Amino acid sequence: VDLGELDDLSDDEEDGDEELDHASSLERAAYTTLHLLQELQSSSAEVSSITMMGSPAPVASDNADMDASNNTNILPSLNDSMTGGGINGVIMEKSRFLMKLAPRIRRLESDTAKCLVGRLESLLAKVRHLIEEENADNDNNDHDNNDGRGGNHNNRQQQEQQTLLLTIASCLRGLALLSKGSDAESAFARVAIMPILRSKLSMGKLDEGGSRGECAGFFFLLDDVANTVRSMYGPILRVSEGMFANTNDSSANNMEVDLVTCGVWVPVATALMADPGIKMAIFSPGIANVLQANYSALDTFLSELAGNLLTPPPPSPEKNESASGEEEKTSHELGDFSHLYYKPDLDARSVERAQSRLYAHPTTIDYYKRWNLPIYYQLRFAEFCKRLDKALEVVTKEGWQADVFTGDKGEEKKMRETLGFEVPLFLELYDGLLSLWSPNVFLRPLTHRFLRGAVQLVGRVLAFVREGLEGQIEFGGSEKRSEGMDESASTAITLETIVDIPAYHWNERVEDIAVVTWELTILDTCMSHDYLDAIATTVCPPDNESRQSTHNSTSELDEMKLVASEVLMKSSRGISPLVSHSWNTLIVDNLTSQCCAPLAAVKGVAATYRMTNRPPPTQASPFVGTILRPLKEFDTAYASRTPPQIGDNWKRQVISAVADKYSLAVEELIATVKRTEEALKSRKTRRMMAGGMSDGEKVKLQLYLDHREFKSHVVEGLGVDAEGIGGLVKLGELTEEAESLFLRTQEKKL
């Protein structure tokens, strides 16, 4: 064993013991000073109370002056009666005595505080020097281990660090006793933190890894500062937090010495806001992406600061085993009782209390006010509005199937497969809505603004759809727009630019209406389910670590989700009326018009059999199969994309309207046939008896067969119950007379 190294070790231990004794003496001096100050304040308060209450006047006597002159040197006795002075006199005498000592007490307080602050500063400087030495020794760790001296050197450093930690704790307690915690915080910030900030904070490191002004290295700079402070002064911060934190009141935001808030965070925030260049680059970069990245970096740094500084590093198992053996040997053989010293016991609640103090500090409040977040939101919202307006412009020119999606193709495929969107415009809209809450756009203080922005974007698309359904927006018409161009301009435009789409109103196309209303139905469902979950996941992450950093309680998270749900439901409240109007009015009217077109052939039934000597009909007219064909084709194509709230009622409306017109046409035809038969009654003898039926009876039989065919299309082809449809009932009544004719023809076949 190197005797010289043992001598150095013993000398260092003696120096450390002397410093610890000195700090302990200063702590006891602080206790004494505190006691004297309390006595002085208590005595002054008692004298004030006696003066306010007033003491009874003494009984006058002839020998009062003589008694007073004879007893001037006698102190009042505790056994004297209260009316004669007694205890009040003792209090007054004590007060006068302490008042004479007040200047000395104040001087003692000032000198003790100065000594404690000076000692704390020197100890912090020594800690920094010791850490720098340790880092330098780590570079030569292999050489020391080969010489066999690395273990002794490490033990000496650990003992010295432990002694320094105890000494600093004594200084902090002494300053806390004298209500000079702010002096301790200022000394820690000045001696421990500011040198770190001066060595790491610069414009060069702020822009490291990117172009000037982008602050690409800001996040890594803050992370480096936090790690350096934790490695150098983490034990001191944990001891201070364990000694002075108020564990009985978790809502208390003040304590005698708060090194985490006032010793670390305040100097960091001050350094960032003091330098004009750094302040401008961080808080007012003029670029939305840079501002969002800077805010996120600082917000993450602040939200995780207490946890980073107060959470001790996990010890290695090998180190624990060797430390336990060395501790037992030291305590028994060398008389070292360091393992009995106070060690802080910090848990998750301790970190949460420290984080609460960070958020409640005035510096934090002022720091958040320096961000020009409303301007950032306006820039972001303008980007999304421009993106949506461009998509609407292209859709107006090229129709609903125009490829206007500008997002990630992978996200497009995911939305098509999981959500069911098909129209590119709605894919663009929903991708924009999700982008509002993406990590590189969203800022938590702007939650209410982003929520309002989402509502406005949805409202913009709903207004576009509503105007189109009302016929106010004309699609296509590219050739009309090109008429006003001169020849040189028109030739410069390629054929791909001018799409040959004639002008039309899409509310006249049932296919477009069905597709758009289905997309609206999907959007309505997503707004109240998937999109709400996306917002809640971003604003209030489900994992415990992120919830702690966002500083929200469970009740606050539930309330936020409820409020967001109400807002989104109000924004999508206009979707359901649009869908209902589209199906129950526009689609019904359009399909009714298409289905009623073949009914013009009903009048031709009479001409088919009048004076033609044709045999009685045996099957329905050809036009009957085309009446409901548009409805059947539409229903087949869009049955899977019919909104659930619509159901099959729209089909009954179409069939009912068509049946009403059909029955009206049949009624008019039967009336015409009857008038014709009345006119031909005088010519019965000349009636052609082909099949034994008159021309009128043949017409009625044809109408009967047509009615049966039409009804089968309704029931079997479209799956609609014929009962309750007035037009079908009326058709049955009108053609009921021809049923006997139909039975007669069937009997003849047999």
Side-chain angles (χ1 to χ4, degrees):
V1 178
D2 191 347
L3 298 179
E5 187 174 347
L6 290 179
D7 292 338
D8 294 339
L9 181 60
S10 61
D11 292 340
D12 292 338
E13 291 178 354
E14 290 177 0
D15 294 340
D17 292 340
E18 289 180 1
E19 290 182 352
L20 182 57
D21 291 340
H22 189 191
S24 300
S25 299
L26 289 175
E27 184 180 359
R28 288 192 293 272
Y31 272 107
T32 303
T33 304
L34 177 63
H35 178 72
L36 292 174
L37 289 172
Q38 291 175 344
E39 287 292 334
L40 179 60
Q41 294 173 357
S42 176
S43 178
S44 300
E46 290 177 351
V47 171
S48 299
S49 63
I50 293 173
T51 304
M52 293 296 295
M53 293 173 60
S55 59
V59 179
S61 63
D62 296 338
N63 299 326
D65 296 337
M66 184 180 297
D67 294 338
S69 61
N70 293 334
N71 296 327
T72 53
N73 296 325
I74 300 176
L75 292 174
S77 174
L78 294 176
N79 294 325
D80 294 343
S81 62
M82 291 297 293
T83 57
I87 296 177
N88 290 347
V90 174
I91 294 174
M92 296 297 290
E93 188 68 22
K94 177 182 177 182
S95 175
R96 283 193 293 269
F97 176 73
L98 290 175
M99 289 300 292
K100 290 180 180 181
L101 294 178
R104 296 185 179 183
I105 295 175
R106 296 298 181 186
R107 178 64 180 275
L108 177 62
E109 177 189 14
S110 177
D111 292 345
T112 305
K114 288 181 180 179
C115 291
L116 286 168
V117 171
R119 177 59 58 181
L120 178 61
E121 291 179 351
S122 64
L123 292 172
L124 291 174
K126 191 171 183 179
V127 169
R128 185 175 69 250
H129 177 70
L130 187 63
I131 295 297
E132 292 173 353
E133 268 190 359
E134 183 179 356
N135 293 335
D137 291 340
N138 288 335
D139 297 335
N140 302 322
N141 192 19
D142 294 339
H143 177 71
D144 292 339
N145 289 335
N146 292 333
D147 291 344
R149 298 185 298 178
N152 293 332
H153 185 69
N154 291 335
N155 292 336
R156 179 171 64 85
Q157 285 184 337
Q158 291 178 3
Q159 289 184 359
E160 189 172 356
Q161 290 176 0
Q162 182 66 29
T163 304
L164 282 174
L165 187 61
L166 295 173
T167 309
I168 291 173
S170 295
C171 294
L172 293 177
R173 287 193 297 269
L175 289 171
L177 289 171
L178 299 178
S179 300
K180 300 293 183 180
S182 59
D183 293 346
E185 296 162 355
S186 300
F188 186 82
R190 184 173 56 256
V191 178
I193 304 303
M194 290 308 297
I196 297 177
L197 296 177
R198 283 192 291 267
S199 65
K200 296 183 178 297
L201 187 59
S202 65
M203 287 299 300
K205 292 186 177 180
L206 196 63
D207 294 327
E208 187 174 359
S211 303
R212 183 170 181 80
E214 291 184 357
C215 299
F218 188 42
F219 179 84
F220 302 101
L221 187 148
L222 293 175
D223 189 57
D224 187 23
V225 169
N227 292 333
T228 303
V229 173
R230 178 179 58 185
S231 62
M232 295 182 66
Y233 303 104
I236 298 175
L237 295 171
R238 289 190 287 272
V239 167
S240 173
E241 186 71 23
M243 287 192 300
F244 301 111
N246 188 354
T247 58
N248 295 327
D249 186 7
S250 59
S251 63
N253 290 324
N254 56 347
M255 50 191 271
E256 293 89 343
V257 180
D258 189 359
L259 295 184
V260 173
T261 301
C262 301
V264 178
W265 163 238
V266 171
V268 170
T270 304
L272 294 176
M273 294 184 287
D275 187 284
I278 294 177
K279 177 182 176 183
M280 180 66 68
I282 294 176
F283 294 96
S284 303
I287 304 174
N289 290 333
V290 177
L291 178 64
Q292 195 273 345
N294 292 346
Y295 182 91
S296 299
L298 264 172
D299 189 57
T300 302
F301 170 79
L302 179 60
S303 64
E304 298 175 355
L305 184 60
N308 286 338
L309 298 180
L310 299 179
T311 303
S316 61
E318 297 178 357
K319 189 175 181 180
N320 286 340
E321 294 176 2
S322 61
S324 61
E326 292 177 0
E327 180 180 348
E328 183 179 359
K329 178 180 178 182
T330 303
S331 61
H332 288 85
E333 297 180 3
L334 302 179
D336 184 7
F337 299 98
S338 59
H339 62 283
L340 299 177
Y341 293 155
Y342 168 76
K343 294 181 181 179
D345 184 16
L346 302 179
D347 54 9
R349 294 188 61 188
S350 303
V351 176
E352 184 178 352
R353 285 191 293 266
Q355 194 66 44
S356 299
R357 295 196 304 272
L358 282 170
Y359 283 117
H361 196 271
T363 300
T364 307
I365 299 174
D366 180 64
Y367 147 78
Y368 277 112
K369 290 181 180 178
R370 291 182 180 270
W371 296 97
N372 201 350
L373 297 185
I375 296 298
Y376 168 76
Y377 169 75
Q378 292 177 10
L379 293 174
R380 286 299 193 188
F381 187 66
E383 293 176 3
F384 292 111
C385 289
K386 182 179 180 180
R387 178 180 172 183
L388 183 60
D389 289 341
K390 184 177 180 180
L392 293 176
E393 182 181 357
V394 176
V395 168
T396 304
K397 293 179 181 179
E398 302 179 13
W400 285 108
Q401 297 303 323
D403 187 9
V404 296
F405 186 76
T406 58
D408 182 70
K409 295 300 181 182
E411 291 296 326
E412 178 184 9
K413 182 179 180 182
K414 181 179 178 181
M415 286 188 289
R416 287 182 181 274
E417 293 177 352
T418 59
L419 301 179
F421 285 113
E422 297 177 356
V423 178
L425 175 64
F426 286 89
L427 289 168
E428 181 77 351
L429 170 64
Y430 197 74
D431 185 69
L433 293 175
L434 291 177
S435 299
L436 289 172
W437 310 96
S438 61
N440 59 343
V441 173
F442 172 71
L443 291 179
R444 199 164 186 272
L446 296 176
T447 300
H448 62 294
R449 292 180 181 267
F450 280 108
L451 195 59
R452 183 181 63 188
V455 172
Q456 291 174 338
L457 292 177
V458 173
R460 176 71 181 91
V461 173
L462 290 182
F464 179 79
V465 172
R466 186 180 297 107
E467 292 173 359
L469 292 175
E470 294 173 356
Q472 300 178 16
I473 297 179
E474 185 180 75
F475 278 17
S478 301
E479 65 277 0
K480 292 184 179 180
R481 294 187 179 91
S482 61
E483 288 178 358
M485 300 181 181
D486 55 9
E487 184 177 355
S488 60
S490 60
T491 55
I493 301 177
T494 61
L495 295 176
E496 295 178 356
T497 304
I498 300 180
V499 182
D500 189 12
I501 299 178
Y504 70 95
H505 293 90
W506 67 271
N507 65 329
E508 298 174 357
R509 297 186 176 184
V510 291
E511 295 81 5
D512 285 355
I513 298 174
V515 169
V516 172
T517 53
W518 179 244
E519 299 291 308
L520 289 176
T521 304
I522 297 175
L523 179 63
D524 189 15
T525 304
C526 291
M527 292 293 288
S528 58
H529 294 83
D530 299 83
Y531 192 61
L532 178 61
D533 294 339
I535 294 175
T537 302
T538 302
V539 180
C540 310
D543 55 294
N544 296 329
E545 182 178 354
S546 295
R547 285 180 61 179
Q548 180 180 352
S549 68
T550 54
H551 205 60
N552 265 354
S553 63
T554 303
S555 59
E556 290 171 338
L557 300 180
D558 295 339
E559 182 179 1
M560 191 286 307
K561 193 169 184 179
L562 178 62
V563 171
S565 175
E566 293 177 354
V567 172
L568 294 178
M569 289 182 65
K570 288 181 180 179
S571 69
S572 59
R573 190 172 294 174
I575 295 179
S576 182
L578 282 179
V579 173
S580 178
H581 172 72
S582 299
W583 279 84
N584 295 325
T585 302
L586 298 180
I587 291 179
V588 167
D589 292 347
N590 193 299
L591 289 176
T592 300
S593 176
Q594 294 183 43
C595 293
C596 289
L599 294 179
V602 174
K603 296 180 180 179
V605 174
T608 302
Y609 295 99
R610 184 179 303 154
M611 302 179 68
T612 59
N613 200 25
R614 287 189 177 184
T618 58
Q619 59 184 7
S621 302
F623 76 88
V624 177
T626 64
I627 296 176
L628 297 178
R629 182 179 297 170
L631 175 60
K632 187 175 182 180
E633 292 176 350
F634 179 83
D635 182 50
T636 302
Y638 297 98
S640 60
R641 288 178 284 184
T642 303
Q645 67 271 24
I646 298 300
D648 291 335
N649 185 55
W650 66 278
K651 286 194 290 187
R652 293 184 63 87
Q653 293 183 47
V654 175
I655 294 172
S656 178
V658 174
D660 288 341
K661 291 187 178 183
Y662 191 10
S663 63
L664 181 62
V666 170
E667 185 178 17
E668 292 176 355
L669 180 61
I670 292 177
T672 302
V673 170
K674 287 183 177 180
R675 288 195 300 270
T676 302
E677 288 184 344
E678 290 292 334
L680 296 176
K681 278 184 179 180
S682 59
R683 305 171 64 180
K684 283 185 179 180
T685 56
R686 300 179 56 185
R687 184 178 56 186
M688 301 296 297
M689 296 299 296
M693 291 186 188
S694 64
D695 293 343
E697 290 175 339
K698 294 177 184 178
V699 171
K700 293 179 181 179
L701 178 59
Q702 183 66 66
L703 293 177
Y704 174 79
L705 294 174
D706 293 347
H707 163 250
R708 287 187 56 186
E709 182 72 11
F710 179 76
K711 186 176 181 180
S712 67
H713 288 171
V714 171
V715 177
E716 299 175 4
L718 293 171
V720 177
D721 187 6
E723 294 183 6
I725 299 178
L728 284 176
V729 174
K730 187 176 181 181
L731 279 173
E733 295 174 352
L734 292 173
T735 59
E736 184 179 8
E737 180 182 348
E739 185 176 3
S740 59
L741 298 175
F742 175 73
L743 295 176
R744 188 193 312 170
T745 58
Q746 296 298 318
E747 290 175 356
K748 289 183 177 181
K749 289 181 180 180
L750 296 176

